[in-house]
Amino acid sequence: MIDLKLLQKDFETMSKKLQRKGVDVALLEQLKVKNEALKIAKAAFETLQAAQNAMSKEFGVYKREGKDITELKARVDANKIKVAEAIEVQRDAQEALETMAMAIPNVPDDSVPDGADEADNVELKKVLTPREFTFTPKEHWELAEENGWIDFERGVKLATSRFSVSFGMGARLERALINFMLDFNRERGFDEVSVPALVNRTALEGTGQLPKFEEDLYKMDGQELFLIPTAEVPVTNLYQDEILSADELPKRMTAYTSCFRKEAGAAGRDTRGMIRQHQFHKVELVAITTPQTSEIMFEQMVNCASDILTALELPHRLVNLCTGDLGFSAAHTTDIEVWLPGQNQYREISSISNTREFQARRAKIRYKNGKKNEMVNTLNGSSLAVGRTLVAIMENYQNEDGSIDIPEVLKPYLGM
RNA sequence: GGACAAGUGGGUGAGUGGCUGAAACCACAUCCCUGCUAAGGAUGCGUACGGGUAACUGUACCGAGAGUUCGAAUCUCUCCUUGUCCA
């Protein structure tokens, strides 16, 4: 959630920044009005309630002293009605404010470039040079089918479109990648956690998937439980509604989970192959830090993900997401795109974001800074999307005869 | 699935209608004493929002929600969680 106090204090600056994310000024003005209305409503209620409390205390004294309470009772009864009205007003004001505020995206950092969509993202750097092919490289689905690694039709048979099944070396490679990534992250100081794949509404509100993006989540029938779209949700919410001590920060975690997304807005995109599946494996990094150290952590996380690709000898590049491509909760995001020679383009394989206080404020994750409780900063990033890494391996390691070499670093994980 | 019991602050745990935002103890923080590796003393020590330069102060919160009452941690109802017993 955005900082409403700051919006109140410096409306100009904040609204300008949010307008870059396409937030309507009129909406922000309404939000400001609602915030003020809530303050007034609260003050009104509290004054009445204070009177009520005082009279109730007096009531006790009267009874003890055996005084007549008729007059006092009349006063207290009259005030009670006013209190009830005031609390109603306050509750409505609170609800109206929250509904609106929860749908406002995070304020983008000044370093985020303006832009409409992914075409306006800014390349930061390239790592490794794509190899020269002496033949026309194939796309991954062709290679996957040729080698018997992935069966797209049987996935559809079992579930529906955008599901697939991995066989043999394809399945083993997925498992090897997961282990390799987790080990790699652990060596970089990220503790491994294993978390539920189902979470409740509060958790999803905490990280920003709800209330706005419910249509992209799989929801359990008749229960307030959702399949996680990313491990970021359960891992970040591990510390929801907690006050951490400064010396337990930063918290660095890594988790492997399956992720589930309806891909509601992606009809027609990447329909072929395993780039965009409803269920996919991902190894995630999550960090909880003080505001002062979050950018250092961000660099570490970007490097961690990039270094995994380097270790796998997969050419990739880093891009700074523009305002139009930036996610709801992020203050800024670096995407890592891996080179896919079959597609002849770079494709997203990791996304690392600093949400600063945005998620912390929603999920109420604070830390003790001396005597004061302050919001932590939360960061998350993939390291990496497993399916897409497998895609990248297939396309980059392919031979003319359609066979696929195995990256050196994965061989120990495959008993090779 | 059924029966019973319980859910209080960082922890243990008191508290059955007003003097309780909550005793006591432990932990923690600062200071003092002592002086030696352990002990004694003083003070402080929940969260959120609002007012005040500040000292301080108002409101809410004792699993969650609703209700009874002038007044609820305490009574009633629903739900959740945990424990024990039974299937």
Side-chain angles (χ1 to χ4, degrees), chain A residues 298-314:
Chain A
F298 181 80
E299 289 304 318
Q300 286 178 18
M301 289 166 73
V302 171
N303 289 339
C304 187
S306 170
D307 291 349
I308 288 176
L309 286 171
T310 305
L312 289 164
E313 296 176 70
L314 292 170

Side-chain angles (χ1 to χ4, degrees), chain A residues 235-253 286-291 360 363-378:
Chain A
V235 177
T236 307
N237 278 288
L238 241 24
Y239 298 98
Q240 175 213 108
D241 202 19
E242 289 192 28
I243 300 167
L244 304 165
S245 68
D247 58 354
E248 52 185 323
L249 297 179
K251 288 215 177 274
R252 277 181 273 211
M253 294 164 283
V286 170
I288 298 176
T289 73
T290 62
K364 301 187 183 73
I365 310 174
R366 294 144 294 170
Y367 79 105
K368 269 239 178 304
N369 185 14
K371 288 203 107 181
K372 276 177 133 178
N373 296 326
E374 283 175 8
M375 296 298 167
V376 298
N377 278 19
T378 66

